[in-house]
Amino acid sequence: MSDIDVKLGIKTILERIEIACNKRIPELQCVKPQLVAVSKTKPNNLIIEAYEAGQRHFGENYIQELIEKANSSDILEKCKDIRWHFIGHLQGNKVNKILSVPNLYLIETVDSKKLATRLDQKWPEFSSNDLKLKIMLQVNTSGEDAKNGIEPEELVDLAKYVSENCKNLELNGIMTIGQFGYNLEQGPNPDFILLKKCRDEICQRLGWDWKNVNLSMGMSDDFEHAIEMGSTNVRVGSSIFGFRPKKE
Ligand SMILES: *Cc1c(COP(=O)(O)O)cnc(C)c1O
């Protein structure tokens, strides 16, 4: 059995989220941040433990791993109300695979019109109800070539495209991974500042209410800072499930 206390981990992170939330400027405090427990590389029994502690939103970034976990009988049986977030890079040829995942809740990493269009066209074949598929647009806020995500300058156009042309999709927010290992002693994380700016721009240009556009930013090392900067969706893995050896 594992020596990781997942229940305590969830409780501790939720408390830290609450504290960070109360440090935000008053107008941001009205939006309660959501915790996505990132369970990649971790076994089902730890996911079930977190679920039993009340956690519902889980994130995975490898499609094959998500398919296996979401379809496994113990998860289907014990976690009936689980909500899967896909947070990895999605290739166009994997669209059918991702859409067939049971309890798929949100795809956080849509970054092109082509991908959005394909998801939009395919979703009715897979949806078991008339609900739209929730997506976020991933933004490359750090400008690193290797990072996926749309360039900030192209974001408004993509958001407009999705809202006007993709009737089966619900644009739920925008997401960034940001640069690794940013040292907070250098000041507020520029990726978080930029993502919030992107939201302000979308809302201003398209006339949307900012409260309807979530900001997915912040991981184990910086989720409290991200919340203070306006994050409404934090993706926390190792602080809940323990150290994760590097995967090839
Ligand atoms: C792995 C991962 C996380 C969680 O990282 P931790 O540092 O373990 O909290 C968050 N977001 C994405 C996109 C990831 O791939």
Side-chain angles (χ1 to χ4, degrees):
M1 293 297 342
S2 74
D3 47 4
I4 283 281
D5 189 339
V6 170
K7 288 199 167 83
L8 180 63
I10 294 282
K11 185 168 170 278
T12 309
I13 299 297
L14 288 175
E15 283 167 4
R16 286 169 61 186
I17 288 176
E18 176 93 27
I19 292 168
C21 214
N22 291 332
K23 285 192 195 159
R24 297 190 301 195
I25 55 171
E27 71 212 64
L28 288 180
Q29 282 177 29
C30 61
V31 183
K32 197 172 176 296
Q34 175 165 276
L35 171 61
V36 178
V38 177
S39 46
K40 62 187 183 200
T41 79
K42 298 298 178 182
N44 286 353
N45 64 307
L46 296 190
I47 296 173
I48 293 166
E49 259 181 61
Y51 185 92
E52 284 169 355
Q55 181 63 26
R56 289 295 174 269
H57 293 261
F58 290 82
E60 289 284 339
N61 70 336
Y62 299 102
I63 191 139
Q64 198 53 40
E65 188 178 344
L66 173 57
I67 289 170
E68 280 164 26
K69 285 175 172 171
N71 282 294
S72 61
S73 54
D74 53 349
I75 297 280
L76 285 171
E77 212 169 280
K78 292 179 178 160
C79 310
K80 290 203 165 25
D81 189 32
I82 197 166
R83 294 163 200 190
W84 291 110
H85 291 227
F86 186 67
I87 59 174
H89 178 56
L90 183 58
Q91 289 166 312
N93 62 359
K94 297 285 164 60
V95 160
N96 283 4
K97 286 195 161 180
I98 189 87
L99 294 183
S100 65
V101 165
N103 302 310
L104 176 68
Y105 181 77
L106 172 59
I107 298 175
E108 296 203 12
T109 49
V110 176
D111 61 0
S112 69
K113 288 182 186 174
K114 200 171 158 196
L115 183 57
T117 306
R118 207 177 281 207
L119 289 166
D120 180 58
Q121 286 170 346
K122 287 285 178 183
W123 179 237
E125 289 175 32
F126 293 89
S127 166
S128 52
N129 46 41
D130 284 337
L131 293 181
K132 296 183 180 198
L133 173 66
K134 290 184 178 51
I135 63 154
M136 285 185 181
L137 303 178
Q138 182 180 358
V139 189
N140 181 359
T141 53
S142 58
E144 292 163 276
D145 287 345
K147 286 278 163 56
N148 300 303
I150 189 155
E151 298 303 317
E153 307 78 53
E154 296 165 17
L155 179 64
V156 171
D157 187 45
L158 180 57
K160 188 163 183 280
Y161 177 84
V162 169
S163 70
E164 287 176 356
N165 299 286
C166 302
K167 305 255 172 302
N168 301 313
L169 303 183
E170 178 187 322
L171 186 47
N172 176 278
I174 55 180
M175 176 270 207
T176 185
I177 296 178
Q179 60 172 290
F180 289 109
Y182 177 77
N183 182 354
L184 284 177
E185 282 169 19
Q186 293 173 267
N189 188 323
D191 289 301
F192 299 167
I193 295 176
L194 182 50
L195 197 71
K196 183 155 176 292
K197 219 174 117 209
C198 285
R199 179 178 68 183
D200 293 345
E201 200 192 340
I202 289 179
C203 292
Q204 193 196 1
R205 298 260 304 273
L206 305 179
W208 295 354
D209 183 347
W210 67 270
K211 294 192 196 73
N212 297 331
V213 185
N214 282 299
L215 291 181
S216 176
M217 57 191 198
M219 320 204 299
S220 285
D221 288 341
D222 55 14
F223 70 91
E224 288 149 307
H225 173 61
I227 287 170
E228 285 182 55
M229 306 285 294
S231 175
T232 61
N233 189 82
V234 291
R235 312 177 307 264
V236 180
S238 44
S239 293
I240 296 170
F241 296 109
F243 170 77
R244 209 175 39 238
K246 283 247 181 302
K247 193 166 171 167
E248 308 295 275

